């Protein structure tokens, strides 16, 4: 089987390339937007293609001969909303039989209602640009199925962790090393994790199982994982004390978010989360971002009189979403994926163990002087 992977240079897309190619499961056509995006996949002898996600002609050419297209792309609001339509039209012209679209669990909000399942419709009235755009995109897919006749399978993962996960593995390790890791309500709320290889397995099953046609699936780890479980696995891997995480009160956070929604800090956050802000931030290397943050705090103008620093001063750099995501008690079910796809995820503990090995290989366990 020949498959195309949009977003082949990203965290999930690059892992999908590796698993399908090295496992001999499919002939893989990685699709990237620039030569710079080839860094991770250039080591493989693959017939990669260059195409912007909004360029129908280029995508049609890239999809030639493929049976399945995997959509694992991010980017601007324009890309999130326009990408599915462009891909569907190009796929139809190229004779593709199925598109596997990687959505996200946050289309259901940061705190899904009890009883939320695969059939729960996405929430399009969310105040967060990314959540709202992905939710609208899911609704657009229904129209695309009707207008193009394309078979879309939609997958909704939430907290995707594992090797090369910037948000839910590397960043947590960095926070522990910077002494600004935090947990809301002791980390006792539900963390809807999915180990990256479990997600990749679900993507492949979504491509090959006939009964998956035009279905929507929640994808996660089987266990009820808490935020404390995830943070403790990272702390143990890099040999720092889990107790260094700052403990925050959820009720206080909600009250503060409500009262600060119109503050200058909140406005700045919204600007940084805009399309323009994301493009600007995206040009800055991860290491540079962390150094700038530390320098900004170090160079802040000292007060005229000595004060005791607030150990939670780091919160001024934390996005509201990073707090709200830790405040749900709803464990999203995977029973539909298990029943229809035959999805059988490896245990969370094994995914955490593999992630820990990778963190140590990347040098996160080497922190003398702490």
């Amino acid at each position: 089987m020949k498959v195309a992977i949009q977003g082949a240079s990203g965290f999930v897309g690059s892992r999908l390339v590796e698993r399908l190619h090295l496992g001999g499961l499919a002939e893989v056509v990685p699709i990237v937007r620039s030569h710079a995006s080839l860094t991770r996949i250039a080591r493989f002898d693959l017939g990669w293609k260059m195409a912007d996600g909004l360029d129908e002609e280029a995508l049609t050419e890239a999809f030639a001969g493929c049976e399945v297209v995997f959509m694992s792309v991010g980017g601007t609001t324009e890309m999130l909303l326009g990408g599915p339509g462009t891909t569907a039209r190009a796929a139809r012209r190229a004779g593709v039989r199925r598109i596997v679209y990687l959505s996200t669990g946050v289309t259901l909000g940061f705190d899904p209602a009890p009883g939320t399942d695969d059939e729960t419709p996405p929430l399009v009235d969310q105040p967060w640009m990314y959540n709202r755009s992905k939710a609208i995109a899911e609704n657009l897919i229904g129209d695309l199925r009707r207008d193009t006749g394309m078979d879309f399978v939609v997958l909704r993962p939430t907290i995707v962790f594992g090797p090369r996960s910037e948000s839910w593995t590397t960043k947590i390790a960095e926070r522990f090393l910077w002494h600004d890791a935090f947990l809301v309500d002791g980390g006792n709320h539900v963390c809807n994790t999915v180990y990256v290889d479990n997600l990749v397995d679900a993507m492949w099953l979504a491509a090959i199982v006939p009964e998956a046609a035009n279905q929507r699936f929640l994808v996660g780890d089987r266990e009820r994982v808490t935020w404390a479980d995830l943070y403790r696995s990272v702390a143990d891997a890099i040999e720092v004390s889990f107790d260094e995480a700052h403990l925050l009160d959820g009720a206080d956070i909600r009250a503060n978010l409500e009262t600060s929604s119109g503050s200058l800090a909140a406005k700045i956050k919204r600007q940084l989360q805009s399309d323009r802000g994301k493009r600007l931030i995206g040009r800055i290397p991860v290491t540079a971002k962390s150094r700038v943050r530390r320098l900004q705090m170090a160079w802040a103008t000292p007060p005229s009189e000595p004060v005791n620093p607030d150990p939670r001063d780091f919160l001024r750099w934390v996005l509201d979403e990073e707090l709200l995501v830790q405040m749900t008690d709803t464990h999203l079910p995977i029973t539909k994926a298990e029943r229809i796809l035959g999805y059988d995820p490896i245990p969370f503990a094994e995914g955490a163990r593999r992630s820990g090995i990778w963190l140590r290989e990347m040098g996160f366990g080497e922190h003398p002087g702490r």
Side-chain angles (χ1 to χ4, degrees):
M1 179 188 296
K2 186 176 181 180
V3 304
I5 301 177
Q6 287 183 271
S9 63
F11 163 44
V12 175
S14 64
R15 186 56 178 154
L16 182 62
V17 170
E18 292 171 346
R19 291 285 302 280
L20 298 189
H21 175 64
L22 296 176
L25 297 174
E27 179 185 351
V28 180
V29 179
I31 300 176
V32 297
R33 282 179 276 190
S34 68
H35 286 97
S37 301
L38 290 169
T39 306
R40 245 177 227 166
I41 58 178
R43 68 189 191 278
F44 300 129
D45 184 18
L46 299 173
W48 55 268
K49 301 290 184 180
M50 191 172 301
D52 186 273
L54 298 175
D55 186 336
E56 184 177 330
E57 295 300 324
L59 288 177
T60 301
E61 180 181 346
F63 295 162
C66 293
E67 292 185 50
V68 174
V69 169
F70 294 93
M71 280 196 71
S72 177
V73 295
T76 65
T77 301
E78 182 184 14
M79 180 65 71
L80 294 176
L81 297 180
T86 307
T87 293
R89 291 187 293 273
R92 180 182 59 181
R93 292 170 59 186
V96 172
R97 68 171 175 83
R98 177 172 290 180
I99 297 170
V100 178
Y101 175 75
L102 193 62
S103 184
T104 168
V106 296
T107 59
L108 304 171
F110 287 122
D111 187 14
T116 294
D117 62 16
D118 310 76
E119 311 312 322
T120 302
L123 302 175
V124 298
D125 59 349
Q126 301 185 58
W128 302 280
M129 182 276 292
Y130 178 78
N131 300 24
R132 182 172 62 252
S133 297
K134 293 292 278 189
I136 294 172
E138 273 199 34
N139 284 338
L140 292 174
I141 284 172
D143 296 333
L144 291 170
R145 286 170 173 158
R146 182 188 64 248
D147 297 342
T148 67
M150 286 303 306
D151 170 1
F152 271 91
V153 182
V154 176
L155 300 182
R156 290 167 160 176
T158 304
I159 307 299
V160 188
F161 78 101
R164 296 200 295 258
S165 168
E166 180 180 340
S167 296
W168 305 120
T169 300
T170 302
K171 191 171 184 178
I172 295 174
E174 290 175 342
R175 285 199 177 281
F176 270 111
L177 296 179
W178 291 336
H179 304 280
D180 60 11
F182 61 88
L183 287 166
V184 177
D185 295 330
N188 292 320
H189 294 295
V190 169
C191 181
N192 284 293
T193 58
V194 56
Y195 179 59
V196 62
D197 281 1
N198 286 337
L199 175 56
V200 166
D201 287 345
M203 294 173 75
W204 177 240
L205 291 168
I208 65 174
V209 174
E211 293 76 14
N214 295 314
Q215 298 282 345
R216 189 162 53 195
F217 298 93
L218 290 167
V219 182
D221 294 330
R222 183 172 285 120
E223 305 91 334
R224 183 188 185 278
V225 177
T226 67
W227 285 93
D229 294 330
L230 179 61
Y231 271 57
R232 189 183 301 277
S233 71
V234 173
D236 289 348
I238 63 175
E239 298 181 336
V240 301
S241 173
F242 169 76
D243 294 332
E244 288 196 19
H246 300 281
L247 303 182
L248 310 177
D249 184 84
D252 289 346
I253 288 172
R254 290 190 186 278
N256 289 335
L257 290 178
E258 290 174 2
T259 58
S260 65
S261 59
S263 69
L264 176 60
K267 291 176 182 176
I268 292 172
K269 283 185 179 181
R270 285 194 291 273
Q271 287 296 319
L272 290 176
Q273 293 172 70
S274 68
D275 289 347
R276 182 178 180 183
K278 285 182 176 293
R279 286 195 295 270
L280 175 61
I281 293 171
R283 297 191 186 104
I284 305 173
V286 174
T287 53
K289 293 177 192 174
S290 63
R291 289 170 184 164
V292 167
R293 186 176 76 154
R294 300 293 285 184
L295 287 171
Q296 285 175 318
M297 297 179 72
W299 291 347
T301 302
S304 56
E305 295 183 4
V307 296
N308 293 322
D310 184 344
R312 297 182 301 178
D313 188 52
F314 65 89
L315 280 175
R316 72 171 115 170
W317 303 101
V318 174
L319 295 175
D320 297 349
E321 295 95 311
E322 294 181 78
L323 300 169
L324 292 172
V325 76
Q326 288 198 26
M327 298 169 66
T328 183
D329 291 311
T330 300
H331 181 210
L332 298 174
I334 61 169
T335 49
K336 182 179 178 182
E338 291 174 315
R339 174 171 50 85
I340 295 178
L341 298 180
Y343 176 59
D344 184 20
I346 66 170
F348 167 79
E350 175 60 17
R353 186 188 70 83
R354 297 180 189 180
S355 301
I357 292 173
W358 177 81
L359 281 170
R360 291 190 293 273
E361 288 177 346
M362 293 297 102
F364 280 94
E366 302 170 5
H367 42 86
R370 280 180 52 82

